[in-house]
Amino acid sequence: MTGKITGNNQYLKELNKAAVLDLIRRNKRLSRKELADLTGLSPTACGCITRELIKDGYLHETGQGESTGGRKPVMLELKPNSYYAVGFDIGMNEIKMVIADITANILVQEEFKFSPGITADKVIELIGEKFFEVIKAEKLNFEKFIGCGLSIPGLLDRKTNKIIIAPNLSWNEVDLDSKVSKVLNMPVYIENEAMCSAICEHWIGKCSDKENFVCINIESGIGAGIFIGDSIYRGYSGSAGEIGHLIVKENGRLCGCGNRGCLETYASIRHMLEEINEKIKNGYTSEIIKPGTDAMSWKQVVEAAYQGEQLCIEVLNKGAEYVGFAVAYLINTLNPEAIVIGKCFTDFAPLVMDTLIKTVKEKALKYPVSKVKIYTSEFGMNSSAMGAAMIPIRKVFGK
């Protein structure tokens, strides 16, 4: 009986520590009295918790606040550079790496290229090698790392945390997190890349004050991370957010999933690029796309569109229209406060946002669409790596 009570008391104590830390995170700085008022804990209990958090390096005192009649209160803030987390976003031919401290300050952003078709074992080796290289170069204390987040472009089994399938990497049934944990010697948390972007937006981005929102990533594929009631929503088997396979055109282009007319086949970067290059191959030219032009890169397509090249503008706008169909569908079904669109979309958002918004307003129900905010992400291609780094940090705050 005594052991059970002690365990419960310890659990409550950890919950209270997390609650105190999260209040300080949200408010930037608070006094002990303010914490007691906000938590409902006694001043003695609050004092005990904050002493431990200061001793452990999570908090520090930062001068005095305004007096309300007595002595000026001592203010508490999260302590920068006290603890760190690392995030890795595994793409088709590169790994993005982000290191952040518990204040969510980004300390390191790196990118490591590799050849397409890389094996999971080689990725694990590369992660270990680059992590230790970087923290040595940056003079970061390994003992202060609280965990690692992994962002994966694929489906995960939430019971085993195995990667069921990552089509762009040609991976099936891969156990990544436990192997990376052994290499890095720290806790590792694995998550879908769109959900990592949503975590980034929720923790440090446009939706930090939103409880219900969707984050859409447009890249070689299209996926969405969903928050409902301030919590991650994954669905029953973990595949919620696979909006790239919404049918937007009956009997349309064949998709890798076996269906026809999926959103990905019209609005993903890969397919828009294929459409433009196919027309160039068949003889399309313009003032910007000269005769004899080889296949264009994505960067060249975006640059040409900003210069007024009509084919590029038309394909990007058509893609945005199809994304508008999906956004309208999400508004009608989930009724979110906000929708954030990111990754490669940030490259060309100014060119197509009017088309997207017009389509959404035409296709979505009038009342919910009048309440939703539609944003472009500020983080571009780095959002998933940043979100992955935030996963271990969120654990500190009870999330």
Side-chain angles (χ1 to χ4, degrees), residues 331 335 360-361 364-374:
I331 290 169
N335 186 210
V360 171
K361 287 182 176 178
L365 294 169
K366 298 295 180 268
Y367 185 72
V369 81
S370 71
K371 299 296 181 183
V372 73
K373 302 287 185 187
I374 300 176

Side-chain angles (χ1 to χ4, degrees), residues 263-323:
L263 176 63
E264 275 189 14
T265 63
Y266 291 93
S268 69
I269 302 315
R270 179 160 53 99
H271 283 91
M272 289 193 290
L273 200 50
E274 281 177 4
E275 182 178 347
I276 290 165
N277 282 327
E278 185 65 25
K279 291 190 175 176
I280 291 171
K281 183 181 173 184
N282 290 333
Y284 175 87
T285 61
S286 68
E287 287 187 11
I288 294 168
I289 300 176
K290 306 294 184 185
T293 299
D294 291 328
M296 296 178 78
S297 68
W298 173 246
K299 184 180 178 184
Q300 288 171 327
V301 164
V302 172
E303 287 174 355
Y306 277 108
Q307 291 167 23
E309 208 298 309
Q310 281 308 300
L311 171 63
C312 297
I313 290 171
E314 284 169 16
V315 171
L316 294 179
N317 269 295
K318 196 64 182 174
E321 185 180 338
Y322 284 120
V323 173

